[in-house]
Amino acid sequence: MTSKYFTCPKCHENTPFKSMATDRVELERDKGEKLRVACDHCYEQMTVHVNDIKAAPNKVIAGIGVAAGVAATAALWHLGFVAWIAGALPVIIYGAQRKAADTFNSYSIRRSE
Ligand SMILES: [Zn+2]
């Protein structure tokens, strides 16, 4: 699951948008084509299109991946090569997050107007 956000057209800051959707088709089905949102920074209320929602690697999941990788590396250190595989865990998890974000961002839905 990736983090979603939109960029405020007024102050150009990013505001997180809570959604479990893996692509914009799912997001539209879930929340509709137009989304009523409020900017976290200037508090402006606005309507954004599904295509304006972007995905980014989830920092929490990436963080858990790093923590798990470090813990597993430490726990498996005496096994040598296995520790190296465990050390690659954060890279693999971040890579999967990056890929999921790219998948989301690469597909835009057809605008109805
Ligand atoms: Zn704003």
Side-chain angles (χ1 to χ4, degrees):
M1 184 188 28
T2 51
S3 307
K4 310 292 188 303
Y5 68 94
F6 63 91
T7 305
C8 175
K10 207 176 158 196
C11 69
H12 306 287
E13 292 286 348
N14 294 336
T15 295
F17 182 82
K18 282 193 178 61
S19 170
M20 306 274 276
T22 54
D23 57 37
R24 291 194 173 107
V25 177
E26 203 179 316
L27 183 62
E28 188 202 13
R29 200 189 307 134
D30 221 32
K31 314 251 182 186
E33 190 187 347
K34 301 273 177 65
L35 309 154
R36 191 91 190 120
V37 292
C39 175
D40 270 5
H41 303 272
C42 66
Y43 305 107
E44 181 84 358
Q45 300 257 333
M46 69 201 98
T47 304
V48 294
H49 191 270
V50 167
N51 289 348
D52 296 327
I53 302 290
K54 295 187 184 71
N58 191 317
K59 287 191 184 73
V60 176
I61 292 176
I64 291 167
V66 170
V70 169
T73 305
L76 300 170
W77 192 248
H78 61 286
L79 294 174
F81 76 97
V82 184
W84 286 106
I85 296 166
L89 206 61
V91 180
I92 294 163
I93 290 171
Y94 186 82
Q97 281 290 311
R98 186 70 262 171
K99 197 164 178 285
D102 287 346
T103 302
F104 185 95
N105 292 333
S106 65
Y107 187 80
S108 298
I109 70 151
R110 241 183 139 90
R111 285 176 188 261
S112 58
E113 78 241 24

